[in-house]
Amino acid sequence: MDKVDERLISALRHDARASLSDLATQLNLSRTTVRSRIERLQARGDILGFTVVMKEDVLRDPVRGLMLIGIEGRGTNRIVRQLQGLPEVRAIHTTNGRWDLIVEIGTETLEDFDAALSRVRLIEGITTSETNLLLATKKDS
């Protein structure tokens, strides 16, 4: 992948519905070049598809945060199973370093977020935690 492909992907990430003509103008390329590069990127598997992000997808969790969790002993699998059962938990990541898990939490309100944190902290085997609210997303995959 060269710099032109990277600029093309960046433009598509910004607006995947942009016409070939608009992309060509924006990137200072011919329409044919843009089309062939997109086709090549798809054929190689660099571009797997195009998607739509809807307003309700963004508004689903107005309050979001990351909870870093320290676990005592060997209870990680049990704790992960319990976390998976909580409706506010969006993702669970294992990690290295000081923390054992990073849990993504999303709720409608700060009160709901606080209640979710309280439920997580009550899980036996969780010895310590630290939570960071996500204020703004500058780039999403």
Side-chain angles (χ1 to χ4, degrees):
M1 188 177 314
D2 63 15
K3 294 288 185 194
V4 174
D5 288 339
E6 290 172 3
R7 289 180 37 231
L8 175 57
I9 288 172
S10 177
L12 288 169
R13 281 185 171 149
H14 179 71
D15 182 5
R17 292 195 61 209
S19 69
L20 292 176
S21 298
D22 289 344
L23 290 168
T25 301
Q26 181 181 344
L27 300 171
N28 199 26
L29 300 169
S30 73
R31 195 175 168 279
T32 305
T33 300
V34 170
R35 184 182 62 237
S36 66
R37 282 182 175 262
I38 289 173
E39 288 172 354
R40 189 185 80 240
L41 288 166
Q42 286 178 302
R44 283 193 344 211
D46 292 325
I47 295 177
L48 298 177
F50 299 87
T51 188
V52 173
V53 178
M54 299 185 63
K55 182 168 52 173
E56 52 269 7
D57 295 335
V58 175
L59 297 177
R60 177 179 175 211
D61 295 324
V63 180
R64 297 171 300 132
L66 300 175
M67 186 175 198
L68 299 95
I69 295 175
I71 297 172
E72 176 182 63
R74 298 179 180 213
T76 302
N77 291 337
R78 177 186 49 78
I79 291 170
V80 167
R81 282 192 305 275
Q82 288 180 279
L83 290 169
Q84 288 170 330
L86 298 176
E88 302 87 358
V89 171
R90 302 293 176 247
I92 303 167
H93 308 277
T94 57
T95 185
N96 65 335
R98 177 177 176 202
W99 303 103
D100 298 300
L101 297 174
I102 298 175
V103 178
E104 295 179 42
I105 299 173
T107 63
E108 290 289 322
T109 67
L110 279 171
E111 291 80 15
D112 293 340
F113 192 86
D114 186 47
L117 294 180
S118 294
R119 282 194 300 282
V120 170
R121 289 183 184 124
L122 289 174
I123 296 174
E124 187 179 331
I126 292 180
T127 57
T128 186
S129 69
E130 179 180 311
T131 304
N132 296 288
L133 286 175
L134 300 175
L135 302 177
T137 300
K138 304 299 182 187
K139 181 180 178 185
D140 202 357
S141 54

Coordinates of all heavy atoms in Angstrom, one line a residue, residues 71 74-84 94 101:
I71 N -7.1 -8.3 39.5 CA -7.7 -9.5 40.0 C -6.8 -10.3 40.9 O -5.6 -10.4 40.6 CB -8.2 -10.4 38.8 CG1 -9.2 -9.7 37.9 CG2 -8.7 -11.8 39.3 CD1 -9.5 -10.4 36.7
R74 N -6.5 -16.7 40.7 CA -6.7 -17.3 39.4 C -8.2 -17.2 38.9 O -8.7 -18.1 38.3 CB -6.2 -18.7 39.3 CG -4.8 -18.8 39.6 CD -4.3 -20.2 39.6 NE -2.9 -20.3 39.8 CZ -2.1 -21.2 39.3 NH1 -2.6 -22.1 38.5 NH2 -0.8 -21.1 39.6
G75 N -8.9 -16.2 39.4 CA -10.3 -16.1 39.1 C -10.7 -15.4 37.8 O -11.8 -15.0 37.6
T76 N -9.7 -15.1 36.9 CA -10.0 -14.3 35.7 C -11.1 -14.9 34.9 O -12.0 -14.1 34.5 CB -8.7 -14.2 34.9 OG1 -7.7 -13.6 35.7 CG2 -9.0 -13.3 33.7
N77 N -11.1 -16.2 34.6 CA -12.2 -16.7 33.7 C -13.6 -16.6 34.4 O -14.5 -16.2 33.7 CB -11.9 -18.2 33.4 CG -10.7 -18.4 32.5 OD1 -10.3 -17.5 31.8 ND2 -10.1 -19.5 32.6
R78 N -13.7 -16.8 35.6 CA -14.9 -16.7 36.3 C -15.4 -15.2 36.3 O -16.6 -14.9 36.1 CB -14.8 -17.1 37.8 CG -16.1 -17.0 38.6 CD -15.8 -17.3 40.1 NE -14.7 -16.7 40.7 CZ -14.6 -15.5 41.1 NH1 -15.6 -14.7 41.0 NH2 -13.5 -15.0 41.7
I79 N -14.5 -14.3 36.6 CA -14.8 -12.9 36.6 C -15.2 -12.4 35.2 O -16.2 -11.7 35.0 CB -13.6 -12.0 37.1 CG1 -13.5 -12.3 38.6 CG2 -13.8 -10.6 36.9 CD1 -12.3 -11.8 39.3
V80 N -14.5 -12.9 34.1 CA -14.9 -12.5 32.8 C -16.3 -13.0 32.5 O -17.1 -12.3 31.9 CB -13.9 -13.1 31.7 CG1 -14.4 -13.0 30.3 CG2 -12.6 -12.3 31.9
R81 N -16.7 -14.2 32.9 CA -18.0 -14.7 32.7 C -19.1 -13.9 33.4 O -20.1 -13.6 32.8 CB -18.1 -16.2 33.2 CG -17.5 -17.2 32.2 CD -17.9 -18.6 32.6 NE -17.6 -19.0 33.9 CZ -16.4 -19.5 34.3 NH1 -15.4 -19.6 33.4 NH2 -16.1 -19.8 35.6
Q82 N -18.8 -13.4 34.6 CA -19.7 -12.6 35.3 C -19.8 -11.2 34.6 O -20.9 -10.7 34.5 CB -19.3 -12.4 36.8 CG -19.4 -13.7 37.6 CD -19.0 -13.5 39.0 OE1 -17.8 -13.6 39.3 NE2 -19.9 -13.2 39.9
L83 N -18.7 -10.7 34.2 CA -18.8 -9.4 33.5 C -19.6 -9.5 32.2 O -20.3 -8.6 31.8 CB -17.4 -8.9 33.2 CG -16.5 -8.4 34.4 CD1 -15.1 -8.3 34.0 CD2 -17.1 -7.2 35.0
Q84 N -19.5 -10.6 31.5 CA -20.2 -10.8 30.2 C -21.7 -10.7 30.5 O -22.5 -10.4 29.6 CB -19.8 -12.1 29.6 CG -18.4 -12.1 29.0 CD -17.9 -13.4 28.5 OE1 -18.3 -14.5 29.1 NE2 -17.1 -13.4 27.5
T94 N -8.3 -8.5 27.9 CA -7.2 -8.9 28.7 C -6.0 -8.0 28.4 O -5.9 -7.5 27.2 CB -6.8 -10.4 28.6 OG1 -6.5 -10.6 27.2 CG2 -8.0 -11.3 29.0
L101 N -7.6 -6.7 33.4 CA -8.6 -6.6 32.4 C -8.9 -5.1 32.2 O -8.8 -4.3 33.1 CB -9.9 -7.2 32.9 CG -10.0 -8.7 33.2 CD1 -11.3 -9.1 33.8 CD2 -9.8 -9.5 31.9

